[in-house]
Amino acid sequence: MPLCVFDISEDGSSAAPTGSGLEGPARYRWWHFDLADPDLPEWSKTNLPLIPAEALLQQETRPRCDAYEDGLILNLRGINLNEGQRTEDLVSIRMWITDKAIVTVRVRRVFAIQDINKATMAGFAPPTPAAFVTDLVTRLTARVQDEVAAVARRTEFFEAALEDDTASIPPELTQTRRRVIRLNRYLDPQRAALTSLSKTPLFSARDHLALRELANRTTMAVEELDAQRDRLSAVQDDHDLETARKQAANSFLLSVGAGIFLPISYLTGLFGVNVGGMPGIDDPRAFYLLCITMTVLSAILVLIIRRLKWL
């Protein structure tokens, strides 16, 4: 059973369908399904052409816009606003659109579709299929722009944090980079799909203007994501360089210390050999003389290292 089905008139009013066919007596009929509906495969096979029916039933999709006979196969992605889920795990909406019918299929809740559903029940439905698509794309694009703006604010925070030399790499930096990659994965092909949508002969020239503007907004969002990806990479590189510099400085200090104590260790090891003939065995002052010798030797090594500007 569909999640909802409406006969929608040109004045935006809606009514329950008077038949079970794909199309109805009103301006167009909107069918909305869940992909998990066990009746959907049989319904699609009965009411839709083969290729659009298969497109609606695909488990994995990417944004696309393809004309087929007298209709349009349209797949889009939107920001995931479902509770407990990551926003960058974009939700998908599959569509088959003709001049007299719209079929939409979702896997997870798409809040843009829910908004249109509420407006339809209130008597303010999009009056034509073109208006329906434009309204849906407008809502999806607005949420995409909000998400991209949130990523931009996060990137500015990471860049500002670079001024603090003592700050470590923020744990959210890697997560944000992955977030940008996931968003870009689907929004880039969605830009191409919306560009194709703005040229479809199924809609009027006036509808094309609105859809071109939405395609332009998506293009700007993708370009902004590309910029954020580069800026986040630069932030990561700066943190990596600072970490490498600190490690190199620490390693250098350890090397200098080893250089100072190596001769001293040699002396202590030499005089620690428990064999006959060692000088100073019977002299009570020998230990103190050895300590003084090692101290003087250490001071000489420090002076040499400083003269060489290693310290």
Side-chain angles (χ1 to χ4, degrees), residues 79 87-90 147-148 151 178-188 225:
I79 300 300
T87 56
E88 64 269 22
D89 291 337
L90 302 184
E147 181 69 9
V148 172
V151 171
R178 291 179 182 145
R179 184 178 177 184
V180 170
I181 291 171
R182 290 191 184 100
L183 289 171
N184 213 22
R185 175 187 176 189
Y186 290 108
L187 293 182
D188 195 23
L225 282 175

Side-chain angles (χ1 to χ4, degrees), residues 190-205:
Q190 183 146 311
R191 169 180 56 179
L194 292 179
T195 300
S196 298
L197 180 63
S198 66
K199 302 174 183 178
T200 176
L202 187 63
F203 301 154
S204 67

Side-chain angles (χ1 to χ4, degrees), residues 211-265:
L211 291 170
R212 275 201 297 270
E213 175 59 25
L214 292 170
N216 183 59
R217 293 183 188 178
T218 302
T219 298
M220 290 190 293
V222 171
E223 291 174 348
E224 180 66 19
L225 282 175
D226 290 338
Q228 300 308 319
R229 181 183 57 198
D230 294 340
R231 290 168 65 186
L232 289 168
S233 295
V235 171
Q236 182 71 59
D237 291 343
D238 286 342
H239 278 293
D240 291 343
L241 286 173
E242 181 63 20
T243 301
R245 186 190 65 79
K246 291 179 179 178
Q247 289 177 343
N250 293 336
S251 298
F252 180 75
L253 289 176
L254 289 174
S255 299
V256 170
I260 293 173
F261 285 97
L262 184 60
I264 298 174
S265 299

Side-chain angles (χ1 to χ4, degrees), residues 89 106 109-110 166 177 259 308:
D89 291 337
R106 54 92 160 171
R109 283 189 305 167
V110 181
T166 62
R177 294 185 67 185
L308 294 175

Side-chain angles (χ1 to χ4, degrees), residues 5 10 23 32 68 70 139 156 176 303:
V5 54
E10 290 187 351
E23 301 175 356
H32 183 48
Y68 182 81
D70 61 343
R139 296 175 187 275
E156 292 174 357
T176 304
L303 290 174

Side-chain angles (χ1 to χ4, degrees), residues 118-186:
K118 292 177 182 177
T120 300
M121 289 190 293
F124 299 99
T128 64
F132 182 99
V133 173
T134 302
D135 191 4
L136 175 61
V137 174
T138 299
R139 296 175 187 275
L140 293 175
T141 303
R143 290 181 168 96
V144 165
Q145 290 179 311
D146 291 343
E147 181 69 9
V148 172
V151 171
R153 290 192 297 271
R154 199 66 182 164
T155 302
E156 292 174 357
F157 169 77
F158 293 142
E159 289 175 334
L162 285 174
E163 299 178 3
D164 185 2
D165 295 336
T166 62
S168 58
I169 299 178
E172 300 86 0
L173 177 58
T174 302
Q175 297 173 4
T176 304
R177 294 185 67 185
R178 291 179 182 145
R179 184 178 177 184
V180 170
I181 291 171
R182 290 191 184 100
L183 289 171
N184 213 22
R185 175 187 176 189
Y186 290 108

